[in-house]
């Protein structure tokens, strides 16, 4: 594990691991912001932009907000323990607040997407029905897993009466299902970009239009970003050692 930066007595190996994590973290942030900017560029230049009043443009908010919340913020919430230093209690609270905000925004975005069915005759006739694609199914499964993760994590790790030994027992499962939820979110995002290209371009998609190439690149960038996050969160050397003053005295 990587010791606290405030403790200077580190071996060259530990210093190298710390610098490696810093490098990976900067790459992780750059790719995440690049993904968000690329989705914004695609919507502005190929899908007509955004609007809160023009019904044809309202669904364009969905891929942008899902990329920001379901991919970028989800990834930052997962890496929060390895990226920041504070007391364990404060980190738990910040982690819970992070995911609470994510769940609220995703729920609103999901309801808005389901409610947009009345706008779909503007794009296809007859209107495309809800919840029949793999993208939709994975999205619902991921949101359900995220909600269960939040409820169980809040009860086990923030509720004061739960014994420490039960928290230690549940930690591997909490980590596993958290990473699994993120992997499903990335898969859902990649399928979402592909689905949007197929529904929007239809037969033109097979002719390699510029929008289709951009959509494919967005999916690849999303998958690469997800793989980088999973690597960083599962690499044992990147785990941060707790500082001595954060440890219980008994």
């Amino acid at each position: 594990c990587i010791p606290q930066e405030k403790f200077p007595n580190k071996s060259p190996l530990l210093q190298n691991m710390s610098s490696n994590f810093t490098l990976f973290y900067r790459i992780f942030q750059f790719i995440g912001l690049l993904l968000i900017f690329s989705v914004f560029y695609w919507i502005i230049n190929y899908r007509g932009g955004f609007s809160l009043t023009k019904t044809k443009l309202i669904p364009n908010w969905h891929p942008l907000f899902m990329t920001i919340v379901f991919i970028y913020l989800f990834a930052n919430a997962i890496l929060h323990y390895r990226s920041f230093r504070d007391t364990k209690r404060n980190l738990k609270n910040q982690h819970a607040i992070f995911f609470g905000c994510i769940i609220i925004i995703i729920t609103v975005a999901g309801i808005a997407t389901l409610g947009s069915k009345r706008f779909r005759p503007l794009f296809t006739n007859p209107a495309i029905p809800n919840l029949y694609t793999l993208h939709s199914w994975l999205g619902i499964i991921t949101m359900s897993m995220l909600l269960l993760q939040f409820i169980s994590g809040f009860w086990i790790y923030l509720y004061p009466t739960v014994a420490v030994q039960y928290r230690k027992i549940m930690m591997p499962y909490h980590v596993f299902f958290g990473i699994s939820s993120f992997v499903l979110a990335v898969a859902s995002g990649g399928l979402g970009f592909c689905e949007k290209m197929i529904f929007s371009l239809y037969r033109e998609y097979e002719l390699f239009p510029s929008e289709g190439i951009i959509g494919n690149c967005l999916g690849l960038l999303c998958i690469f970003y997800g793989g980088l996050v999973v690597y960083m969160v599962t690499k044992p050397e990147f785990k941060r050692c707790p500082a001595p003053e954060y440890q219980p005295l008994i």
Side-chain angles (χ1 to χ4, degrees):
C1 60
I2 302 175
Q4 295 286 349
E5 289 80 356
K6 66 172 66 177
F7 300 101
N9 297 322
K10 296 190 292 185
S11 67
L13 178 60
L14 291 178
Q15 291 177 355
N16 184 56
M17 287 190 297
S18 180
S19 61
N20 285 342
F21 178 82
T22 301
L23 175 63
F24 274 96
Y25 185 77
R26 290 174 178 172
I27 296 174
F28 150 76
Q29 291 292 351
F30 173 77
I31 295 177
L33 295 174
L34 176 63
L35 179 61
I36 294 173
F37 173 79
S38 300
V39 173
F40 179 81
Y41 174 87
W42 162 54
I43 296 295
I44 291 293
N45 290 276
Y46 291 94
R47 293 289 97 209
F50 305 93
S51 177
L52 296 175
T53 56
K54 296 180 180 179
T55 54
K56 191 174 182 179
L57 301 181
I58 291 177
N60 288 345
W61 291 102
H62 177 76
L64 179 64
F65 278 115
M66 284 301 184
T67 301
I68 294 174
V69 178
F70 226 12
I71 306 297
Y72 181 71
L73 292 184
F74 197 167
N76 277 274
I78 289 177
L79 288 170
H80 188 71
Y81 279 98
R82 299 197 173 191
S83 306
F84 297 94
R85 290 291 89 188
D86 204 336
T87 63
K88 197 169 185 180
R89 182 71 181 182
N90 286 342
L91 286 175
K92 287 181 180 180
N93 292 334
Q94 295 160 13
H95 188 68
I97 292 172
F98 229 134
F99 275 104
C101 294
I102 289 173
I103 290 173
I104 292 173
I105 298 174
I106 289 176
T107 302
V108 173
I111 294 174
T113 303
L114 293 176
S116 68
K117 185 176 181 180
R118 65 183 182 275
F119 304 141
R120 293 178 190 171
L122 295 171
F123 311 98
T124 58
N125 191 13
I128 300 173
N130 283 322
L131 306 179
Y132 80 97
T133 64
L134 182 60
H135 167 66
S136 302
W137 289 18
L138 281 181
I140 292 175
I141 292 173
T142 306
M143 286 191 288
S144 301
M145 289 180 62
L146 192 60
L147 182 60
L148 290 175
Q149 273 281 100
F150 179 76
I151 295 174
S152 62
F154 185 87
W155 177 67
I156 295 173
Y157 298 106
L158 292 179
Y159 198 67
T161 59
V162 178
V164 175
Q165 61 266 29
Y166 295 121
R167 297 178 180 179
K168 291 182 178 180
I169 292 173
M170 293 302 299
M171 178 56 70
Y173 300 99
H174 184 71
V175 172
F176 171 78
F177 283 105
I179 296 175
S180 300
S181 300
F182 177 73
V183 171
L184 288 178
V186 171
S188 179
L191 287 173
F193 290 126
C194 181
E195 180 182 295
K196 184 68 174 178
M197 295 299 108
I198 293 174
F199 288 167
S200 301
L201 301 177
Y202 193 48
R203 299 292 299 183
E204 186 184 351
Y205 191 21
E206 63 189 37
L207 302 177
F208 292 94
S210 58
E211 182 179 3
I213 295 175
I214 290 176
N216 290 347
C217 291
L218 288 174
L220 290 175
L221 188 62
C222 181
I223 293 172
F224 178 78
Y225 183 68
L228 178 63
V229 172
V230 173
Y231 173 78
M232 292 177 65
V233 80
T234 56
K235 189 173 178 60
E237 292 83 356
F238 285 170
K239 184 176 182 180
R240 308 290 288 277
C241 296
E245 67 264 28
Y246 297 158
Q247 300 303 304
L249 297 177
I250 299 179

